Amino acid sequence: QVQLVESGGGLVQPGGSLRLSCLTSGVIFGLSTMGWYRQAPGNQRELVATIFSGGSTNYADSVKGRFTISRDTAKNTVSLQMNSLKPEDTAVYYCNANSLLTHREFWGQGTQVTVSS
């Protein structure tokens, strides 16, 4: 049974930083693509950052140079370090796991990030 639990969201001022964590169970990082998505009110859910099974990463243009995705196999955790936050980063952030074996997709419940002065 795959479970993803996000934490670390909150209210931060523009220019500030937050670190999101996704605690996983039932996920083998070497056989999965892990991603962070976000959805702002009235918008479609969009891909923010991806870490592939081999460890390579990819980012949306809007967050390149500001966000960093990483994983810790020992702690079963995928993190998203967000720096230089902007009001347009405000959204609910979701952790996603995509199994390379079964092609099944799993989602966490989401964590709210609000960037406002």
Side-chain angles (χ1 to χ4, degrees):
Q1 183 78 4
V2 172
Q3 287 189 319
L4 309 174
V5 180
E6 301 99 332
S7 62
L11 173 64
V12 63
Q13 291 187 342
S17 299
L18 279 176
R19 186 176 181 86
L20 305 183
S21 294
C22 175
L23 179 62
T24 74
S25 61
V27 176
I28 301 174
F29 289 152
L31 296 176
S32 303
T33 298
M34 302 298 299
W36 283 96
Y37 288 72
R38 67 186 181 187
Q39 187 168 19
N43 290 359
Q44 290 187 332
R45 192 171 295 189
E46 62 173 352
L47 179 61
V48 174
T50 304
I51 185 163
F52 298 97
S53 57
S56 61
T57 59
N58 195 35
Y59 299 91
D61 287 343
S62 59
V63 306
K64 276 182 183 175
R66 301 189 297 122
F67 290 11
T68 302
I69 188 171
S70 61
R71 69 189 185 193
D72 186 329
T73 303
K75 296 182 179 179
N76 296 319
T77 300
V78 177
S79 298
L80 185 68
Q81 178 66 42
M82 306 186 295
N83 299 327
S84 302
L85 283 161
K86 304 175 181 180
E88 51 263 43
D89 295 318
T90 295
V92 178
Y93 284 71
Y94 297 91
C95 181
N96 173 275
N98 196 315
S99 169
L100 300 179
L101 291 180
T102 66
H103 303 291
R104 288 186 65 186
E105 201 170 29
F106 303 90
W107 294 92
Q109 81 287 353
T111 186
Q112 176 71 47
V113 171
T114 302
V115 184
S116 175
S117 55

